[in-house]
Short mmCIF file of all heavy atoms in Angstrom, two decimals:
data_model
loop_
_atom_site.label_atom_id
_atom_site.label_comp_id
_atom_site.label_asym_id
_atom_site.label_seq_id
_atom_site.Cartn_x
_atom_site.Cartn_y
_atom_site.Cartn_z
N MET A 222 -20.04 -4.75 4.88
CA MET A 222 -20.12 -6.24 4.38
C MET A 222 -20.50 -7.16 5.51
O MET A 222 -20.04 -6.95 6.71
CB MET A 222 -18.78 -6.62 3.71
CG MET A 222 -18.39 -5.87 2.44
SD MET A 222 -19.70 -6.09 1.24
CE MET A 222 -19.59 -7.87 0.91
N PRO A 223 -21.15 -8.24 5.23
CA PRO A 223 -21.50 -9.20 6.25
C PRO A 223 -20.31 -10.02 6.68
O PRO A 223 -19.32 -10.06 5.91
CB PRO A 223 -22.55 -10.14 5.55
CG PRO A 223 -22.27 -10.03 4.08
CD PRO A 223 -21.77 -8.55 3.93
N GLY A 224 -20.48 -10.58 7.89
CA GLY A 224 -19.32 -11.40 8.34
C GLY A 224 -18.96 -12.50 7.34
O GLY A 224 -19.84 -13.18 6.78
N GLY A 225 -17.72 -12.78 7.11
CA GLY A 225 -17.19 -13.83 6.29
C GLY A 225 -16.95 -13.36 4.77
O GLY A 225 -16.48 -14.14 4.02
N VAL A 226 -17.38 -12.07 4.49
CA VAL A 226 -17.14 -11.60 3.15
C VAL A 226 -16.45 -10.24 3.35
O VAL A 226 -17.01 -9.19 3.15
CB VAL A 226 -18.33 -11.50 2.39
CG1 VAL A 226 -18.11 -11.06 0.89
CG2 VAL A 226 -19.26 -12.75 2.39
N PRO A 227 -15.11 -10.25 3.67
CA PRO A 227 -14.44 -8.93 3.93
C PRO A 227 -14.04 -8.25 2.58
O PRO A 227 -13.71 -8.83 1.59
CB PRO A 227 -13.22 -9.41 4.64
CG PRO A 227 -12.91 -10.66 4.15
CD PRO A 227 -14.20 -11.36 3.98
N VAL A 228 -14.22 -6.91 2.66
CA VAL A 228 -13.64 -5.98 1.66
C VAL A 228 -13.01 -4.93 2.39
O VAL A 228 -13.61 -4.16 3.21
CB VAL A 228 -14.80 -5.35 0.82
CG1 VAL A 228 -14.22 -4.31 -0.20
CG2 VAL A 228 -15.51 -6.47 0.06
N ALA A 229 -11.63 -4.76 2.11
CA ALA A 229 -10.93 -3.61 2.72
C ALA A 229 -11.36 -2.35 1.86
O ALA A 229 -11.47 -2.36 0.67
CB ALA A 229 -9.46 -3.83 2.42
N THR A 230 -11.84 -1.33 2.66
CA THR A 230 -12.47 -0.18 1.94
C THR A 230 -11.59 1.07 2.16
O THR A 230 -11.19 1.30 3.31
CB THR A 230 -13.88 -0.07 2.54
OG1 THR A 230 -14.58 -1.24 2.50
CG2 THR A 230 -14.59 1.17 1.75
N VAL A 231 -11.28 1.75 1.12
CA VAL A 231 -10.56 3.05 1.29
C VAL A 231 -11.65 4.17 1.13
O VAL A 231 -12.78 4.06 0.94
CB VAL A 231 -9.49 3.15 0.19
CG1 VAL A 231 -8.37 2.03 0.30
CG2 VAL A 231 -10.07 3.13 -1.25
N ALA A 232 -11.06 5.43 1.27
CA ALA A 232 -11.96 6.57 1.24
C ALA A 232 -12.60 6.75 -0.14
O ALA A 232 -12.13 6.17 -1.11
CB ALA A 232 -11.01 7.92 1.60
N LEU A 233 -13.60 7.60 -0.07
CA LEU A 233 -14.32 8.04 -1.30
C LEU A 233 -13.35 8.47 -2.28
O LEU A 233 -12.51 9.38 -1.96
CB LEU A 233 -15.45 9.00 -1.00
CG LEU A 233 -16.31 9.44 -2.11
CD1 LEU A 233 -17.31 8.24 -2.57
CD2 LEU A 233 -17.18 10.59 -1.58
N ASN A 234 -13.31 7.93 -3.48
CA ASN A 234 -12.34 8.27 -4.63
C ASN A 234 -10.90 8.01 -4.18
O ASN A 234 -10.04 8.55 -4.81
CB ASN A 234 -12.56 9.68 -5.06
CG ASN A 234 -13.86 9.86 -5.89
OD1 ASN A 234 -14.55 8.94 -6.18
ND2 ASN A 234 -14.22 11.16 -6.08
N GLY A 235 -10.64 7.10 -3.24
CA GLY A 235 -9.35 6.83 -2.74
C GLY A 235 -8.50 5.81 -3.44
O GLY A 235 -7.94 4.98 -2.85
N ALA A 236 -8.69 5.77 -4.78
CA ALA A 236 -7.99 4.70 -5.52
C ALA A 236 -6.48 4.67 -5.38
O ALA A 236 -5.85 3.51 -5.40
CB ALA A 236 -8.30 4.77 -7.03
N LYS A 237 -5.77 5.82 -5.21
CA LYS A 237 -4.32 5.74 -4.92
C LYS A 237 -4.06 4.91 -3.69
O LYS A 237 -3.13 4.09 -3.73
CB LYS A 237 -3.80 7.18 -4.78
CG LYS A 237 -2.32 7.10 -4.65
CD LYS A 237 -1.74 8.59 -4.63
CE LYS A 237 -0.17 8.63 -4.56
NZ LYS A 237 0.38 9.96 -4.57
N ASN A 238 -4.84 5.21 -2.63
CA ASN A 238 -4.58 4.36 -1.36
C ASN A 238 -4.87 2.90 -1.63
O ASN A 238 -4.27 2.06 -1.06
CB ASN A 238 -5.35 4.90 -0.18
CG ASN A 238 -4.66 6.06 0.52
OD1 ASN A 238 -3.44 6.39 0.26
ND2 ASN A 238 -5.37 6.67 1.38
N ALA A 239 -5.82 2.64 -2.44
CA ALA A 239 -6.05 1.28 -2.74
C ALA A 239 -4.90 0.58 -3.46
O ALA A 239 -4.55 -0.60 -3.24
CB ALA A 239 -7.39 1.09 -3.65
N GLY A 240 -4.41 1.17 -4.41
CA GLY A 240 -3.13 0.79 -5.04
C GLY A 240 -2.02 0.66 -4.12
O GLY A 240 -1.25 -0.47 -4.15
N ILE A 241 -1.79 1.50 -3.21
CA ILE A 241 -0.72 1.39 -2.20
C ILE A 241 -0.96 0.18 -1.30
O ILE A 241 -0.09 -0.61 -0.98
CB ILE A 241 -0.50 2.70 -1.34
CG1 ILE A 241 0.02 3.78 -2.33
CG2 ILE A 241 0.51 2.48 -0.18
CD1 ILE A 241 -0.12 5.21 -1.69
N LEU A 242 -2.25 -0.07 -0.88
CA LEU A 242 -2.53 -1.12 0.02
C LEU A 242 -2.37 -2.50 -0.69
O LEU A 242 -1.79 -3.35 -0.12
CB LEU A 242 -4.00 -0.99 0.47
CG LEU A 242 -4.47 -2.12 1.40
CD1 LEU A 242 -3.64 -2.28 2.66
CD2 LEU A 242 -5.90 -1.82 1.84
N ALA A 243 -2.69 -2.47 -2.02
CA ALA A 243 -2.48 -3.77 -2.78
C ALA A 243 -0.97 -4.03 -2.88
O ALA A 243 -0.50 -5.14 -2.73
CB ALA A 243 -3.06 -3.56 -4.19
N ALA A 244 -0.20 -3.00 -3.03
CA ALA A 244 1.29 -3.12 -3.16
C ALA A 244 1.89 -3.59 -1.68
O ALA A 244 2.66 -4.48 -1.69
CB ALA A 244 1.98 -1.93 -3.47
N GLN A 245 1.31 -3.05 -0.67
CA GLN A 245 1.71 -3.54 0.61
C GLN A 245 1.31 -4.99 0.91
O GLN A 245 2.11 -5.72 1.57
CB GLN A 245 1.04 -2.62 1.63
CG GLN A 245 1.72 -1.22 1.77
CD GLN A 245 1.03 -0.25 2.63
OE1 GLN A 245 -0.21 -0.15 2.76
NE2 GLN A 245 1.82 0.41 3.54
N ILE A 246 0.26 -5.38 0.56
CA ILE A 246 -0.23 -6.78 0.60
C ILE A 246 0.74 -7.67 -0.09
O ILE A 246 1.32 -8.66 0.41
CB ILE A 246 -1.61 -7.03 0.11
CG1 ILE A 246 -2.70 -6.33 1.05
CG2 ILE A 246 -1.94 -8.47 -0.03
CD1 ILE A 246 -4.07 -6.28 0.52
N ILE A 247 1.14 -7.31 -1.45
CA ILE A 247 2.07 -8.15 -2.16
C ILE A 247 3.43 -8.06 -1.55
O ILE A 247 4.25 -8.94 -1.47
CB ILE A 247 2.05 -7.63 -3.60
CG1 ILE A 247 0.69 -8.01 -4.29
CG2 ILE A 247 3.24 -8.16 -4.44
CD1 ILE A 247 0.49 -7.42 -5.61
N GLY A 248 3.72 -6.87 -1.03
CA GLY A 248 5.11 -6.63 -0.43
C GLY A 248 5.28 -7.56 0.85
O GLY A 248 6.50 -7.78 1.23
N SER A 249 4.21 -7.93 1.39
CA SER A 249 4.36 -8.64 2.70
C SER A 249 5.06 -10.05 2.30
O SER A 249 5.58 -10.80 3.16
CB SER A 249 3.09 -8.97 3.30
OG SER A 249 2.18 -9.83 2.56
N SER A 250 5.10 -10.46 1.03
CA SER A 250 5.73 -11.77 0.63
C SER A 250 6.74 -11.54 -0.52
O SER A 250 7.33 -12.47 -1.03
CB SER A 250 4.70 -12.78 0.35
OG SER A 250 3.89 -12.36 -0.79
N ASP A 251 6.83 -10.32 -1.01
CA ASP A 251 7.74 -10.06 -2.15
C ASP A 251 8.76 -9.03 -1.68
O ASP A 251 8.37 -7.78 -1.60
CB ASP A 251 6.89 -9.65 -3.29
CG ASP A 251 7.70 -9.39 -4.57
OD1 ASP A 251 9.02 -9.03 -4.48
OD2 ASP A 251 7.27 -9.54 -5.68
N PRO A 252 9.96 -9.36 -1.39
CA PRO A 252 10.94 -8.40 -0.92
C PRO A 252 11.22 -7.18 -1.86
O PRO A 252 11.54 -6.02 -1.32
CB PRO A 252 12.21 -9.17 -0.69
CG PRO A 252 11.85 -10.61 -0.60
CD PRO A 252 10.53 -10.71 -1.44
N LYS A 253 11.10 -7.45 -3.14
CA LYS A 253 11.40 -6.41 -4.07
C LYS A 253 10.32 -5.20 -4.01
O LYS A 253 10.55 -4.07 -4.03
CB LYS A 253 11.50 -6.84 -5.51
CG LYS A 253 12.72 -7.68 -5.77
CD LYS A 253 12.80 -8.16 -7.23
CE LYS A 253 13.97 -8.98 -7.52
NZ LYS A 253 14.10 -9.71 -8.75
N VAL A 254 9.05 -5.71 -3.96
CA VAL A 254 7.90 -4.73 -3.79
C VAL A 254 7.96 -4.09 -2.40
O VAL A 254 7.82 -2.86 -2.27
CB VAL A 254 6.54 -5.42 -3.93
CG1 VAL A 254 5.37 -4.53 -3.74
CG2 VAL A 254 6.48 -5.98 -5.47
N LEU A 255 8.32 -4.88 -1.33
CA LEU A 255 8.49 -4.26 -0.06
C LEU A 255 9.57 -3.15 -0.07
O LEU A 255 9.31 -2.05 0.57
CB LEU A 255 8.89 -5.33 0.90
CG LEU A 255 8.99 -4.87 2.45
CD1 LEU A 255 7.65 -4.26 2.93
CD2 LEU A 255 9.48 -5.98 3.32
N ASP A 256 10.58 -3.34 -0.73
CA ASP A 256 11.63 -2.38 -0.72
C ASP A 256 11.12 -1.06 -1.45
O ASP A 256 11.48 -0.03 -1.01
CB ASP A 256 12.87 -2.92 -1.50
CG ASP A 256 14.09 -1.96 -1.45
OD1 ASP A 256 14.48 -1.51 -0.35
OD2 ASP A 256 14.61 -1.62 -2.51
N LYS A 257 10.38 -1.23 -2.54
CA LYS A 257 9.71 -0.03 -3.21
C LYS A 257 8.81 0.67 -2.24
O LYS A 257 8.77 1.91 -2.26
CB LYS A 257 9.07 -0.54 -4.42
CG LYS A 257 10.00 -0.95 -5.55
CD LYS A 257 9.18 -1.47 -6.71
CE LYS A 257 9.87 -2.13 -7.84
NZ LYS A 257 11.24 -2.00 -8.15
N ILE A 258 8.07 -0.10 -1.50
CA ILE A 258 7.17 0.60 -0.49
C ILE A 258 7.90 1.41 0.52
O ILE A 258 7.63 2.48 0.86
CB ILE A 258 6.21 -0.52 0.21
CG1 ILE A 258 5.31 -1.18 -0.76
CG2 ILE A 258 5.44 0.14 1.39
CD1 ILE A 258 4.21 -0.26 -1.40
N VAL A 259 9.03 0.74 1.07
CA VAL A 259 9.87 1.41 2.01
C VAL A 259 10.35 2.77 1.45
O VAL A 259 10.30 3.78 2.11
CB VAL A 259 10.97 0.50 2.55
CG1 VAL A 259 12.08 1.32 3.41
CG2 VAL A 259 10.33 -0.61 3.28
N HIS A 260 10.87 2.80 0.25
CA HIS A 260 11.35 3.89 -0.49
C HIS A 260 10.26 4.88 -0.63
O HIS A 260 10.44 6.14 -0.44
CB HIS A 260 12.10 3.57 -1.71
CG HIS A 260 13.41 2.89 -1.47
ND1 HIS A 260 14.55 3.44 -0.91
CD2 HIS A 260 13.79 1.62 -1.70
CE1 HIS A 260 15.56 2.70 -0.77
NE2 HIS A 260 15.09 1.46 -1.39
N TYR A 261 9.10 4.47 -0.99
CA TYR A 261 8.00 5.44 -1.28
C TYR A 261 7.60 6.12 0.03
O TYR A 261 7.43 7.30 0.03
CB TYR A 261 6.81 4.63 -1.70
CG TYR A 261 5.56 5.39 -2.08
CD1 TYR A 261 5.40 6.31 -3.12
CD2 TYR A 261 4.53 5.36 -1.05
CE1 TYR A 261 4.32 7.16 -3.18
CE2 TYR A 261 3.39 6.17 -1.21
CZ TYR A 261 3.27 7.05 -2.26
OH TYR A 261 2.21 7.89 -2.41
N LYS A 262 7.55 5.34 1.10
CA LYS A 262 7.18 5.99 2.43
C LYS A 262 8.22 6.97 2.78
O LYS A 262 7.86 8.01 3.35
CB LYS A 262 6.94 4.92 3.48
CG LYS A 262 5.81 3.91 3.25
CD LYS A 262 4.57 4.42 3.80
CE LYS A 262 3.49 3.35 3.60
NZ LYS A 262 2.38 3.53 4.39
N GLU A 263 9.43 6.66 2.61
CA GLU A 263 10.54 7.65 2.88
C GLU A 263 10.43 8.78 2.07
O GLU A 263 10.60 10.03 2.59
CB GLU A 263 11.92 6.97 2.66
CG GLU A 263 13.06 7.75 3.01
CD GLU A 263 13.18 8.24 4.50
OE1 GLU A 263 12.71 7.37 5.37
OE2 GLU A 263 13.80 9.28 4.80
N SER A 264 10.05 8.72 0.87
CA SER A 264 9.85 9.98 0.00
C SER A 264 8.76 10.79 0.43
O SER A 264 8.75 12.04 0.22
CB SER A 264 9.65 9.45 -1.48
OG SER A 264 8.30 8.95 -1.71
N LEU A 265 7.66 10.12 1.06
CA LEU A 265 6.61 11.00 1.61
C LEU A 265 7.13 11.79 2.85
O LEU A 265 6.79 12.97 2.93
CB LEU A 265 5.44 10.09 2.09
CG LEU A 265 4.70 9.25 0.99
CD1 LEU A 265 3.68 8.39 1.68
CD2 LEU A 265 4.02 10.27 0.05
N LYS A 266 7.90 11.18 3.59
CA LYS A 266 8.46 11.84 4.75
C LYS A 266 9.43 12.95 4.34
O LYS A 266 9.24 14.06 4.87
CB LYS A 266 9.25 10.87 5.59
CG LYS A 266 10.03 11.45 6.84
CD LYS A 266 10.69 10.40 7.68
CE LYS A 266 12.23 10.56 7.43
NZ LYS A 266 12.99 9.62 8.24
N GLN A 267 10.26 12.76 3.30
CA GLN A 267 11.14 13.75 2.84
C GLN A 267 10.41 14.94 2.26
O GLN A 267 10.86 16.07 2.40
CB GLN A 267 12.12 13.20 1.83
CG GLN A 267 13.13 12.16 2.50
CD GLN A 267 13.90 12.87 3.66
OE1 GLN A 267 14.33 14.06 3.51
NE2 GLN A 267 14.05 12.08 4.74
N ALA A 268 9.22 14.66 1.57
CA ALA A 268 8.49 15.71 0.95
C ALA A 268 7.92 16.77 2.05
O ALA A 268 8.00 17.95 1.86
CB ALA A 268 7.40 15.18 0.07
#
């Protein structure tokens, strides 16, 4: 993308990561969503 028109880009067919990134963006100002992200990341570690 040209300067001034940003698009955050995930991997080819990486829609799951796009969803997680969107949740993280929202979580930066919504404590309830942030808490869900924290728990999700912990579940990845535990797996």
Side-chain angles (χ1 to χ4, degrees):
M222 292 302 299
V226 188
V228 174
T230 308
V231 296
L233 186 64
N234 290 349
K237 183 175 183 179
N238 275 352
I241 294 167
L242 181 56
Q245 289 174 315
I246 291 168
I247 291 169
S249 69
S250 62
D251 183 331
K253 289 180 182 176
V254 174
L255 181 61
D256 188 53
K257 289 177 190 336
I258 295 290
V259 169
H260 288 292
Y261 176 77
K262 297 270 185 167
E263 182 63 26
S264 75
L265 295 176
K266 179 178 110 179
Q267 290 304 318

